[in-house]
DNA sequence: CTCTGTCGTAACAAGAATGGTTACTTCGAC
DNA sequence: GTCGAAGTAACCATTCTTGTTACGACAGAG
């Protein structure tokens, strides 16, 4: 499906900031996070920008600038993150409208829309069950 | 997420063949289906090739050739179709391995893998609940 | 007021996936 | 042998993601 790693990088980022703040630091920089996630700081800043638009993080500028959480990881679910960074639906309908003169072509889109909506609803429910705090705890529970 | 329309086109195709066969026809051609789905016959043949590899349809060649179902729509679910045409996972992990020297970098992949596996399992269960027969009935139930 | 570190953001390129199109070969019923 | 359709390779346009460079904007330190 050409899956992307945006949710993964976002979860990584939030868990990193959360842990860093618990260690007593005020803010985290995109460069630190990029080092941990093994990517480019601009990639992190772009993602964090979307998370900020959703109200999950905030940023300071100037010297000693960086990013911080707006609320605790316990009050943040993967659904919040997903909504912040994934605009589109899971499954797309036809690129070009099907032949409306054909019985199938006419009814297929409403029929599939219903089915797809049900599946997305299930996925959203599932995502909402996992808090970022749970993610962090799972991360810390990995041996070695 | 850059969602594609492969599941949509595949469902359209199977519903079309199923209905056509119920109307007494032996086989359907990629050109007929492409006309209904408003796309190119080669696109349909490519998809049908994958569905054939999964055992859902079969094809005849030569004059009067075309495609037919190997079993009734009642014995075919969206999960069968999904497995036939979507190889990859729903969510990807990091492109480049995260920093294993970092606590988060080390534990994030196993942690997310578990979570993603649970979600995919849920999606698969949901897909398996819908038969292509149900899709066809929904299509036929659309007014006008 | 200047210096400096970090965000904010534009711009560009590489790579991959999807979908459309053309063209040609292969098959098999007639 | 003819002919209609599958099988398939090749190519292109588009889009998305990710990585990268570059530079302006900002704010605290001194």
């Amino acid at each position: 499906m050409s899956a992307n790693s945006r949710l993964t990088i976002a979860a990584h980022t939030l868990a990193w900031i959360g842990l860093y703040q618990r260690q007593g630091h005020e803010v985290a920089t995109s460069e630190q996070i990029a080092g941990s996630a093994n990517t480019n700081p601009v990639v992190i800043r772009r993602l964090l920008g979307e998370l900020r638009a959703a109200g999950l993080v905030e940023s300071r500028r100037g010297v000693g600038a960086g990013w911080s959480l707006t609320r605790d990881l316990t009050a943040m679910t993967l659904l919040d993150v997903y909504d912040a960074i994934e605009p589109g639906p899971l499954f797309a309908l036809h690129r070009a409208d099907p032949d409306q003169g054909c019985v199938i072509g006419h009814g297929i889109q409403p029929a599939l829309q219903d089915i797809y909506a049900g599946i997305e609803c299930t996925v959203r429910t599932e995502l909402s069950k996992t808090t970022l705090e749970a993610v962090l705890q799972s991360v810390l529970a990995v041996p070695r």
Side-chain angles (χ1 to χ4, degrees), chain A:
Chain A
M1 165 96 70
S2 90
N4 62 45
S5 61
R6 293 164 61 81
L7 187 61
T8 294
I9 302 296
H12 186 140
T13 297
L14 291 169
W16 201 96
I17 300 176
L19 180 59
Y20 197 60
Q21 289 194 319
R22 279 184 202 179
Q23 292 170 346
H25 302 90
E26 284 277 325
V27 297
T29 71
S30 59
E31 192 162 358
Q32 294 170 321
I33 302 166
S36 169
N38 193 10
T39 181
N40 193 288
V42 175
V43 173
I44 300 297
R45 288 206 290 268
R46 277 200 290 237
L47 256 180
L48 278 169
E50 297 178 56
L51 296 179
R52 180 183 47 205
L56 302 183
V57 300
E58 59 193 6
S59 63
R60 279 191 221 160
R61 306 182 68 169
V63 174
W67 303 82
S68 52
L69 305 178
T70 57
R71 57 180 194 258
D72 196 78
L73 291 181
T74 52
M76 218 179 267
T77 73
L78 282 180
L79 177 59
D80 297 323
V81 183
Y82 181 80
D83 278 338
I85 63 178
E86 294 287 0
L90 232 41
F91 304 110
L93 293 180
H94 306 65
R95 279 198 165 182
D97 275 350
D99 177 12
Q100 296 299 310
C102 162
V103 189
I104 304 288
H106 177 259
I108 189 74
Q109 292 200 327
L112 289 182
Q113 247 164 4
D114 282 359
I115 295 168
Y116 292 168
I119 294 175
E120 294 210 14
C121 183
T122 307
V123 170
R124 296 174 61 81
T125 302
E126 205 67 17
L127 284 170
S128 72
K129 287 182 189 166
T130 306
T131 66
L132 268 294
E133 173 68 22
V135 174
L136 177 57
Q137 290 310 319
S138 289
V139 168
L140 297 179
V142 172
R144 277 192 136 275

